[in-house]
């Protein structure tokens, strides 16, 4: 899963980015409104964490313009606990909001929820044959036994599972699993897929030659 954070307070931006990376997300950042909108429009993020007060265009304006072309889930960071702000955010097309100062666990939980809703999932549990995925605990069971996955392998499994039945192209996987600073060689994706098959069964991810991968 790849997240964009748009936030102008350097310490908050850095700590939020680090915390989300530790949770296994690929993270891009922008510290002003114009760069934020540019990234948000140019990349298919799984979710955007968007501050309201920003240098350049503000969070409301970014959201308004983004909604003309994209449905990317947006979690607003509002500075004041004011009903007016929250109503405005939800009216403009925000999916949820947290009020500063916030608890990191709350941001994680709300992010998982908006990502889940955008994939039309109502619970944290996804079951595919012998594989069970808990997207809140970020763990995976195979034949009822816990499986050790690396952060990257987990992200691959979760993204594919949320798009079950769809053919996911290699380009999509690169866009959702790696951030703009990753310089991973292209063949590493095959290594991740191969490792996941070793751990969750050879048939778990099917290759569609010339198209991409699919969980059926
Ligand atoms: Ca701000």
């Amino acid at each position: 899963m790849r997240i964009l954070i748009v936030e102008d307070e350097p310490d908050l931006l850095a700590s939020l980015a680090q915390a989300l990376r530790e949770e296994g997300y690929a993270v891009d950042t922008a510290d002003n409104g114009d760069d934020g909108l540019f990234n948000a429009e140019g990349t298919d993020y799984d979710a955007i964490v968007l501050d309201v007060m920003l240098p350049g265009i503000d969070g409301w304006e970014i959201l308004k313009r983004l909604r003309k072309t994209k449905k990317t889930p947006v979690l607003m960071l509002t500075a004041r606990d004011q009903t007016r702000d929250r109503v405005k955010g939800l009216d403009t097309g925000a999916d949820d909001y947290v009020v500063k100062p916030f608890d990191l666990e709350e941001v994680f939980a709300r992010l998982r929820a908006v990502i889940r809703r955008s994939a039309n999932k109502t619970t944290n549990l996804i079951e595919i044959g012998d594989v069970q995925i808990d997207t809140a605990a970020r763990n995976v069971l195979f034949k009822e036994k816990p499986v050790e996955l690396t952060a990257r392998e987990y992200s691959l499994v979760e993204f594919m599972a949320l798009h079950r039945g769809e053919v996911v192209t290699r380009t999509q996987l690169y866009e959702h699993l790696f951030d703009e600073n990753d310089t991973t060689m292209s063949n590493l994706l095959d290594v991740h897929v191969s490792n996941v098959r070793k751990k969750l069964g050879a048939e778990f991810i099917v290759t569609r030659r010339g198209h991409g991968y699919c969980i059926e």
Side-chain angles (χ1 to χ4, degrees):
M1 297 289 163
R2 184 169 171 189
I3 309 283
L4 171 67
I5 308 171
V6 189
E7 167 62 65
D8 60 312
E9 291 166 45
D11 291 349
L12 181 56
L13 180 61
S15 62
L16 201 49
Q18 191 194 343
L20 285 170
R21 287 191 183 111
E22 284 168 6
E23 282 289 292
Y25 294 102
V27 178
D28 293 344
T29 60
D31 64 2
N32 65 80
D34 298 272
D35 289 348
L37 180 63
F38 180 81
N39 283 354
E41 287 183 325
T43 300
D44 278 331
Y45 291 100
D46 295 288
I48 299 171
V49 178
L50 181 58
D51 187 28
V52 173
M53 301 296 289
L54 292 165
I57 52 177
D58 70 13
W60 303 128
E61 188 60 27
I62 292 176
L63 184 58
K64 205 170 105 193
R65 293 199 208 169
L66 180 68
R67 281 291 172 262
K68 290 178 183 163
T69 55
K70 279 186 190 286
K71 292 183 193 162
T72 315
V74 172
L75 179 67
M76 299 295 289
L77 301 179
T78 65
R80 293 150 293 161
D81 186 6
Q82 286 186 346
T83 313
R84 202 183 43 193
D85 261 13
R86 284 182 258 162
V87 169
K88 187 175 176 183
L90 297 171
D91 273 351
T92 316
D95 296 85
D96 205 350
Y97 63 89
V98 286
V99 177
K100 292 181 181 175
F102 49 76
D103 183 73
L104 275 177
E105 290 301 324
E106 186 185 357
V107 172
F108 297 159
R110 290 185 184 278
L111 265 181
R112 286 194 298 266
V114 296
I115 291 170
R116 201 170 67 211
R117 284 203 297 271
S118 73
N120 292 317
K121 296 279 185 293
T122 51
T123 76
N124 286 317
L125 292 173
I126 304 173
E127 214 172 315
I128 299 169
D130 289 330
V131 178
Q132 280 179 307
I133 304 158
D134 182 338
T135 60
R138 301 178 65 84
N139 63 34
V140 175
L141 301 182
F142 179 56
K143 297 188 173 167
E144 293 172 6
K145 293 203 180 73
V147 177
E148 291 275 333
L149 295 177
T150 65
R152 226 43 127 188
E153 289 162 10
Y154 175 81
S155 299
L156 172 67
V157 168
E158 185 186 69
F159 184 79
M160 296 284 308
L162 289 172
H163 294 82
R164 185 180 184 180
E166 297 169 29
V167 175
V168 176
T169 65
R170 296 175 62 85
T171 309
Q172 271 177 298
L173 285 173
Y174 280 111
E175 197 160 285
H176 289 270
L177 301 187
F178 305 104
D179 65 44
E180 61 193 0
N181 298 316
D182 271 316
T183 51
T184 317
M185 299 299 285
S186 67
N187 62 1
L188 271 181
L189 184 58
D190 302 305
V191 175
H192 294 310
V193 170
S194 149
N195 287 339
V196 166
R197 284 175 173 151
K198 277 179 206 150
K199 295 174 182 180
L200 301 178
E203 302 301 311
F204 183 62
I205 295 176
V206 178
T207 302
R208 295 285 176 80
R209 298 253 170 256
H211 299 283
Y213 299 103
C214 182
I215 291 181
E216 291 172 330

